[in-house]
Amino acid sequence: DAGVTQSPTHLIKTRGQQVTLRCSPKSGHDTVSWYQQALGQGPQFIFQYYEEEERQRGNFPDRFSGHQFPNYSSELNVNALLLGDSALYLCASSLWVSGNEQFFGPGTRLTVL
Amino acid sequence: AQRVTQPEKLLSVFKGAPVELKCNYSYSGSPELFWYVQYSRQRLQLLLRHISRESIKGFTADLNKGETSFHLKKPFAQEEDSAMYYCALSGSNDYKLSFGAGTTVTVRA
């Protein structure tokens, strides 16, 4: 089991563009959470998906949206990119019934120029 | 609102010396507390959680509800303990994690 996988590894975009990041959860997991980690900060919760629905959302604008597919994989979409969206985006997977033990992926480094 | 504070950004200790990483939290309710670790060029991974009451790699952490703290301790630091450590909290009825800003630990020979 490769654990949580994310693609792409790195991404460079310009202001105003849109980006899609992808995540495959650890085998057997059904819940995916997304976090944004700015340089020198801890990860900040964006949202969480279970049963293809957004279950919880952090303090992020509507420009951030997501999706979960029937195979439990997930996408994070960010529209109208701002310079401040430059960060490491982490995906974490877990088993809904087990609660909060989350396993993290390696992250996608997004740079907005 | 839930908040996690790690007052030390950097911590440097000698090999064999004790190490303590501080974590304070604010949460109105019964939180679940975690320590995550990130070694160089590796992904963030769970080190321990307070409900399991385990000692992992020689580290322990006790939840002190009176002081709202969850400090991480190890009596004898090793060079392989050099890493970034994050304290995290989740609420009793939600699954999101709130992280502190992290503490970089360097263990010197």
Side-chain angles (χ1 to χ4, degrees):
Chain A
D1 179 18
V4 180
T5 59
Q6 292 186 242
S7 63
T9 306
H10 297 90
L11 207 48
I12 298 175
K13 293 285 187 179
T14 56
R15 279 179 297 174
Q17 285 189 310
Q18 179 264 343
V19 69
T20 297
L21 311 182
R22 296 176 175 82
C23 171
S24 291
K26 182 177 167 66
S27 178
H29 284 181
D30 56 13
T31 304
V32 172
S33 303
W34 286 92
Y35 294 81
Q36 180 195 66
Q37 186 173 21
L39 205 59
Q41 303 293 321
Q44 299 290 313
F45 176 78
I46 303 175
F47 42 54
Q48 183 182 71
Y49 279 84
Y50 170 65
E51 291 188 330
E52 303 179 48
E53 289 187 12
E54 184 183 290
R55 298 292 176 156
Q56 265 192 295
R57 188 179 183 92
N59 189 25
F60 279 80
D62 291 345
R63 299 187 296 110
F64 290 76
S65 63
H67 190 78
Q68 185 180 34
F69 299 93
N71 68 352
Y72 308 119
S73 67
S74 177
E75 287 181 349
L76 163 66
N77 300 292
V78 187
N79 294 322
L81 284 167
L82 303 174
L83 296 179
D85 295 331
S86 295
L88 181 68
Y89 288 85
L90 297 170
C91 171
S93 75
S94 55
L95 195 55
W96 184 260
V97 296
S98 298
N100 299 331
E101 184 167 357
Q102 298 185 17
F103 292 76
F104 283 81
T108 293
R109 172 72 62 188
L110 173 64
T111 301
V112 182
L113 302 177
Chain B
Q2 54 197 62
R3 176 177 286 188
V4 178
T5 303
Q6 294 180 249
E8 306 130 330
K9 288 198 79 68
L10 301 170
L11 201 57
S12 181
V13 299
F14 283 107
K15 177 181 174 182
V19 60
E20 181 179 30
L21 287 73
K22 291 185 169 45
C23 172
N24 292 92
Y25 68 89
S26 63
Y27 182 75
S28 54
S30 295
E32 187 168 358
L33 275 296
F34 305 82
W35 278 99
Y36 278 82
V37 61
Q38 187 167 29
Y39 301 104
S40 179
R41 302 186 192 281
Q42 294 188 26
R43 63 185 66 190
L44 199 58
Q45 58 186 280
L46 179 65
L47 181 61
L48 54 81
R49 57 196 301 188
H50 88 272
I51 61 169
S52 60
R53 298 182 182 276
E54 291 177 305
S55 172
I56 305 293
K57 299 184 179 183
F59 285 97
T60 59
D62 290 320
L63 179 60
N64 186 324
K65 293 186 178 181
E67 296 182 358
T68 59
S69 68
F70 188 57
H71 302 328
L72 183 68
K73 302 176 185 179
K74 184 169 183 176
F76 307 104
Q78 303 299 314
E79 289 181 74
E80 56 264 29
D81 296 328
S82 296
M84 173 72 92
Y85 292 80
Y86 293 96
C87 182
L89 170 158
S90 71
S92 50
N93 295 317
D94 71 65
Y95 294 158
K96 71 179 184 184
L97 291 171
S98 297
F99 285 86
T103 298
T104 301
V105 172
T106 302
V107 181
R108 294 174 289 167

